Every structure is written in C-alpha cells, then in structure tokens.
Amino acid sequence: MSDSRSQLGAGAELRARIDTSTPHSARFWNYFVGGKDNYEVDREIGEQIKGIFPGLVDVALTSRLFLGRAVRHLIRDEGVRQFLDIGTGLPTADNTHEVAQREAPDARIVYVDNDPIVLTHANALLTSTPEGRTAYLDADLHAPEAVLEAAAGILDFSRPVALIILNTLGHVADHDQARDLVRRLLAGLPSGSYLVISDSTATSEGMIAASEAYNASGATPYHVRSVEEIAGFFEGLELVAPGITQVPSWRPDQEPPTGPTAVSVDAYCGVGRKP
C-alpha cells in the first residue's frame, strides 16, 4: 500500500505542475496528430497555426510515419534490438515500443522525457511484450551523461542502440549546443549504433511564420533550422540511404498503405550509423 500511496502522491504533484493556461509543445503536437491529450489553449493555437500554415499538420503526420519506417528498417535490415527515444512526447498510436516489438518481441525501448505532462501518461508507455522491455526515464536532454547512466540499467551498451530524437532539438536554441548534446549522447553508445533525427525546417515562409506565431503564444520556444544544420547532427556518421531528405521521402516504399506519403513538407530527417 505504501508504494500505491507514493505513486498517487507523485501523480498529484505532477498534475499540480501542469500549466494549462499557455500552449504546450507536446499537447500541441498531440492535437495535430489527432490525439486527445490536449487542452483548449493548445487547440486554439493549433487552429491559428493551421490558418497561417496548414502544412504543419502534414509535418506532424509524416514525422510520425517516418518513425515507424525508421524503426522497422533498423530491426529488419540492421538487426537493432535496442532503442533510446529522447523527447518522447505524448503517446498516440504506433509508439516506438509498439512498432519495435511487433517486429521483434525481444526489443528493448527506453523513453526519456522530463515534462510533467508526459510523465503523467508514462503508464501508457510502460507496456511491453514478455520477451522485451519498455521503460520510462524522467531525465533531461541537457544532461546526456545522466541519461546514458540511467538507460544503462535497461539497455546493454555493449550492443548497438538506436538513438531517436524526433522534433525535439528545436527546443535547444543554440545550434552548436544542440550538436554538442547529440555528440555526447552518441559518445556513450557502441560502434554500430544509429542516430535517427527528424525536425521542422526553415524551408518556407509559411513554416517560418508558423514558428514565429507559436513562439509568440507563450509556449516554450521552438527553433526551426536549415537543412544544412539538420545534416550537421550526422557529422562523422555513415548516412543510411537516401541520406538527409524530406521526411516523406525517406524509404517511402516501406510505408503502410494509408497516410500522407507523397506530400512535400518543411521537415527533414536522416538515419546515420556510428562507425
């Protein structure tokens, strides 16, 4: 009973930390991908952004589909069985562990986020096949060594790990700092590990205007970058074909039969292997 009371107390504390008066990136993105874990303030800025740049909805949807394609490729073609997913966001359909364990029931997945909203939904992520394992860490991208230390209790760092950072690095304003954080995370992973990144890009006036409107809403700012800056995260890695590309164009032949597969979006992605 003491554990139950402790969990209930922790849940109440997390809920008390949630601010529903300003938009929130995880809830905003959840709204765009059709989730239900959002508030009126998130839907209002979502509708405002749609009016400015409807294409951001395609960014959200195609980025989610890219996650599935990347995970399936790493399991089917590269033999990866371990995933470290940083900046998890709110769970919807086809989360990393669901895709991975459908392909390989023994896959291990560690989610990392430090947001109280996401933490309150952690139980939805903590399901696993009997053969595999899924875990959730309350940790911060800005402390990569602490993330790796905690993840090492679940993942075997003598074997390759896929590091997944989707639509998260834009919260780090300084590009050099963002690259340093990625380098430090990769430094703790063995040879043969992979980096998977997708992010919105400043490749149209509409996306730039949408970013400015979102940042003016009171939400934690998100900084869209150039394609060259996205490519910079993969310096020193061996890019998996087709390289750095628009999100829908990364191995679209593996796409399920439904969903937006042929749109052009202001979001780029890549998968790279650590030598």
Side-chain angles (χ1 to χ4, degrees):
M1 290 296 292
S2 60
D3 288 345
S4 298
R5 286 195 296 269
S6 175
Q7 292 172 3
L8 287 171
E13 181 182 349
L14 287 170
R15 287 190 292 273
R17 288 166 49 195
I18 296 174
D19 179 6
T20 61
S21 64
T22 58
H24 184 278
S25 61
R27 300 190 315 242
F28 169 79
W29 210 246
N30 177 266
Y31 173 62
F32 267 14
V33 299
K36 298 179 180 179
D37 297 311
N38 47 74
Y39 294 96
E40 183 62 29
V41 67
D42 308 301
R43 295 188 285 273
E44 286 177 357
I45 186 62
E47 289 301 313
Q48 179 185 342
I49 295 297
K50 285 182 185 179
I52 296 170
F53 182 56
L56 193 56
V57 176
D58 288 329
V59 169
L61 294 173
T62 56
S63 296
R64 195 70 183 179
L65 293 172
F66 163 69
L67 169 65
R69 296 198 306 276
V71 170
R72 286 191 293 272
H73 167 75
L74 290 172
I75 288 180
R76 294 174 182 175
D77 300 330
E78 310 297 347
V80 175
R81 294 295 184 271
Q82 302 187 106
F83 298 84
L84 178 58
D85 187 337
I86 297 181
T88 303
L90 289 164
T92 54
D94 283 341
N95 301 290
T96 300
H97 74 283
E98 294 170 325
V99 176
Q101 291 182 343
R102 277 200 297 268
E103 297 291 329
D106 62 336
R108 291 190 168 209
I109 299 88
V110 172
Y111 292 105
V112 178
D113 211 303
N114 70 332
D115 189 283
I117 294 168
V118 177
L119 291 171
T120 60
H121 292 78
N123 285 339
L125 294 173
L126 290 176
T127 58
S128 178
T129 58
E131 303 94 329
R133 187 170 178 187
T134 302
Y136 193 97
L137 300 179
D138 180 6
D140 193 334
L141 169 66
H142 290 84
E145 289 76 20
V147 169
L148 292 169
E149 182 179 1
I154 299 135
L155 304 177
D156 178 2
F157 281 2
S158 69
R159 298 167 52 225
V161 175
L163 171 63
I164 299 175
I165 314 177
L166 303 190
N167 306 296
T168 297
L169 290 166
H171 285 305
V172 183
D174 183 79
H175 180 57
D176 289 338
Q177 182 187 10
R179 287 186 63 175
D180 180 63
L181 293 172
V182 172
R183 280 194 295 263
R184 288 159 64 188
L185 286 163
L186 285 171
L189 302 181
S191 175
S193 292
Y194 288 82
L195 174 66
V196 181
I197 286 177
S198 73
D199 227 325
S200 302
T201 48
T203 43
S204 75
E205 293 182 0
M207 174 58 85
I208 294 170
S211 176
E212 290 173 348
Y214 177 79
N215 292 345
S217 71
T220 301
Y222 202 93
H223 306 275
V224 292
R225 296 194 158 97
S226 68
V227 178
E228 291 74 21
E229 287 175 319
I230 300 298
F233 291 119
F234 294 90
E235 183 178 358
L237 303 182
E238 301 166 351
L239 282 171
V240 173
I244 307 301
T245 181
Q246 283 189 326
V247 169
S249 299
W250 198 91
R251 296 180 175 261
D253 56 308
Q254 295 186 14
E255 191 59 78
T258 59
T261 62
V263 297
S264 176
V265 300
D266 292 296
Y268 278 70
C269 67
V271 177
R273 181 183 184 274
K274 180 178 178 179

